[in-house]
Amino acid sequence: MTSTHAFWLAGRQATGEDSFDVTNPWDGRLVGTVSVPTDAQVEEAVAAAYAVREEFAATPAHVRAAALDHVVRRLTERTEEIAQLISAENGKPIKWARGEVGRAVSVFRFAAEEARRFNSGDAQRLDTDAGGTGRLGLTRRFPRGPVLGIAPFNFPLNLSAHKVAPAIAVGAPIILKPAPATPISSLILGELLAETDLPAGSWSVLTVPNDKMPALVQDERLPVISFTGSGPVGYSIMESVPRKHCTLELGGNGAAVVLGDYSSEEDLDWAATRIATFSNYQGGQSCISVQRVIADASVYDRLVPKIVAAVEALVTGDPSDAATDVGPLVSEDAARRVESWVDEAVTAGATLLTGGKRDGATYAPTVLTDLPDTTTIACEEIFGPVLYVQRTQGEAEAFAAVNASKYGLQAGVFTHDLQTAFRAHRALEVGGVVIGDVPSYRADQMPYGGAKQSGVGREGVRYAMDDYTYERVLVLTGLAL
């Protein structure tokens, strides 16, 4: 792997005066040294994005689509290299890292397709009243302006793709700020964009430290902010810039509901396997990983041992090993936090069924029951390989338990009943309901985002394109309609 990495300033590589090291959370080895832009270089990138905004918005669709198609091809060609890099800087097991690259390929492919369809316009007859005789309204969407995309560490490539690809599709300049723990994947994305014919200034990848972010957030030349990360940071951004358009994809404590009709051995084996896998994939560091299992009393006693067995069957270890299911957390500090929350829960009376041990940055996949509702795990997003199971009586109580959280990102409901599925869709205060599976399912073209304290706005390529643009109507007069 390359030992030193420049950032991307208005489409070209540049280095600053300072740098920082990126290390592998599994073994502590150096992954790369990354250059940090100076304040003057950040200003140059913002000025370039602002200056090119009209030119980029007017770029023909085929140019933007061709650039996106190019990234699709190059990501596909470099899949293994990039997956190894994601695994090294993030600690993600290699099989999940390969999946992440595949998802990023899909995001850019969807964006290329949407770029070709975007802005065809909607025509509306205005002669429905006498004053509109001979008038036609044509509505199209136009970029709000340059975008500041702030990406997290847990999906360093794919969630960067979810910022960059929709911006290119609509012709909005973007400045991408990757997470300091995992910036190199985004810099590789910059390499691929640099091979295209996009206008200079239409994109930058700036490895800006977190303490330098307020100035970027406040800059009036960046009217759109797309942020993925923690709730406190996201809401502080939105509150600091109330006149900007903010999309916030924040946390969750995803619930998997197993109802009484999901009761055969085959049903429960499937539910337990899916719950175990997707409580612990990415080390539990996904905002839609399973944290809560809400099981009907009629299946609880049969389901819990199956979940424990499935969790204990997961392979924890070296993320570069293809057999590994669960790798380390992003840092030892993150693992210590998870450890402290579990210890607090057990001290408060929760029953530890398996796991509960830390080794450096690795935390063993953990299952709890009898969790007091005042504990931190019961109230907050743990963002680690921990789940707890609670017993409920009937559908109404189960749905109420889902809604008792301050979060509302996604929920999974294991049921065979179609009417129950529609009741869940109506009743659950979340951004997405997944029937017959865990809440961790996400297709990158679907609208994705939450309710309550899980954020505002939606990702998913077409939906992000809507967030990056606004409607503008053209009224034509004197037409023979």
Side-chain angles (χ1 to χ4, degrees):
M1 296 178 184
T2 305
S3 59
T4 303
H5 300 268
F7 52 87
W8 292 91
L9 195 168
R12 70 179 193 280
Q13 283 189 307
T15 56
E17 299 169 356
D18 297 323
S19 64
F20 63 93
D21 291 338
V22 177
T23 57
N24 186 320
W26 168 250
D27 56 17
R29 66 184 170 87
L30 179 68
V31 179
T33 299
V34 175
S35 186
V36 177
T38 65
D39 291 347
Q41 288 170 318
V42 172
E43 165 59 28
E44 183 180 347
V46 175
Y50 188 74
V52 81
R53 68 193 189 284
E54 294 180 4
E55 175 191 346
F56 194 32
T59 302
H62 71 86
V63 173
R64 287 178 274 117
L68 294 162
D69 283 332
H70 175 82
V71 176
V72 169
R73 289 191 297 272
R74 297 290 284 133
L75 281 175
T76 302
E77 292 167 359
R78 297 178 64 176
T79 291
E80 186 60 24
E81 170 201 351
I82 297 172
Q84 294 286 346
L85 175 59
I86 292 171
S87 181
E89 67 174 349
N90 176 279
K92 181 175 299 191
I94 187 62
K95 65 181 179 183
W96 295 115
R98 288 171 180 143
E100 180 174 349
V101 180
R103 288 182 60 187
V105 168
S106 295
V107 169
F108 277 93
R109 186 179 74 250
F110 298 146
E113 295 166 356
E114 293 293 346
R116 293 181 171 94
R117 289 190 288 263
F118 176 69
N119 232 352
S120 55
D122 295 320
Q124 181 181 23
R125 292 184 68 134
L126 303 179
D127 62 352
T128 50
D129 289 312
T133 300
R135 297 178 186 264
L136 181 76
L138 179 65
T139 303
R140 293 190 293 159
R141 301 191 71 89
F142 294 87
R144 297 177 186 272
V147 177
L148 173 60
I150 306 172
F153 71 82
N154 56 334
F155 290 87
L157 179 68
N158 193 44
L159 292 183
S160 293
H162 271 286
K163 313 297 183 192
V164 172
I168 293 173
V170 301
I174 182 164
I175 293 176
L176 176 69
K177 189 271 186 198
T182 56
I184 305 177
S185 307
S186 296
L187 296 175
I188 295 293
L189 182 56
E191 289 183 25
L192 308 186
L193 292 170
E195 298 168 353
T196 70
D197 295 325
L198 293 174
S202 61
W203 61 272
S204 294
V205 183
L206 300 182
T207 48
V208 178
N210 288 341
D211 61 3
K212 295 284 189 180
M213 280 305 298
L216 264 177
V217 167
Q218 293 288 337
D219 198 302
E220 293 182 358
R221 294 168 294 179
L222 303 172
V224 180
I225 298 175
S226 177
F227 172 86
T228 301
S230 72
V233 175
Y235 284 119
S236 70
I237 288 173
M238 187 169 68
E239 290 164 3
S240 72
V241 285
R243 291 180 177 83
K244 290 195 177 191
H245 186 87
C246 293
T247 298
L248 306 179
E249 199 281 279
L250 307 176
N253 56 358
V257 178
V258 184
L259 293 175
D261 71 300
Y262 214 82
S263 59
S264 72
E265 291 301 310
E266 183 180 8
D267 286 341
L268 297 180
D269 285 342
W270 163 256
T273 299
R274 298 294 284 178
I275 288 166
T277 298
F278 288 97
S279 174
N280 295 286
Y281 85 126
Q282 327 287 342
Q285 297 169 120
S286 168
C287 46
I288 47 174
S289 65
V290 180
Q291 182 170 327
R292 301 181 289 157
V293 180
I294 298 166
D296 190 83
S298 64
V299 298
Y300 180 94
D301 290 334
R302 293 161 58 211
L303 176 64
V304 171
K306 290 177 183 289
I307 291 174
V308 172
V311 167
E312 291 179 341
L314 297 172
V315 177
T316 302
D318 185 346
S320 67
D321 187 336
T324 297
D325 299 305
V326 186
L329 277 72
V330 72
S331 68
E332 190 166 343
D333 283 346
R336 286 196 189 99
R337 179 190 55 75
V338 171
E339 179 182 43
S340 70
W341 288 17
V342 173
D343 290 349
E344 176 208 31
V346 172
T347 300
T351 301
L352 178 67
L353 299 183
T354 191
K357 297 179 181 179
R358 181 180 65 84
D359 181 8
T362 300
Y363 196 80
T366 296
V367 180
L368 300 165
T369 58
D370 308 314
L371 186 72
D373 58 14
T374 56
T375 58
T376 306
I377 293 176
C379 302
E380 302 294 339
E381 176 184 37
I382 192 163
F383 224 60
V386 178
L387 68 87
Y388 65 90
V389 191
Q390 65 186 98
R391 186 194 307 260
T392 55
Q393 292 279 356
E395 174 189 310
E397 187 175 321
F399 290 175
V402 174
N403 290 341
S405 171
K406 65 183 179 181
Y407 297 108
L409 193 48
Q410 292 199 157
V413 180
F414 289 88
T415 181
H416 295 295
D417 187 83
L418 184 61
Q419 294 293 345
T420 300
F422 275 90
R423 286 195 297 271
H425 196 203
R426 178 182 295 276
L428 297 181
E429 298 166 354
V430 295
V433 179
V434 184
I435 300 299
D437 206 349
V438 291
S440 316
Y441 176 78
R442 178 184 179 182
D444 290 286
Q445 71 271 37
M446 77 185 198
Y448 176 76
K452 299 192 284 189
Q453 292 188 31
S454 287
V456 294
R458 292 294 179 266
E459 288 190 337
V461 174
R462 183 169 66 83
Y463 304 92
M465 291 168 69
D466 285 346
D467 262 327
Y468 291 173
T469 57
Y470 70 100
E471 294 174 320
R472 187 187 300 166
V473 64
L474 174 69
V475 177
L476 300 174
T477 304
L479 301 178
L481 297 175

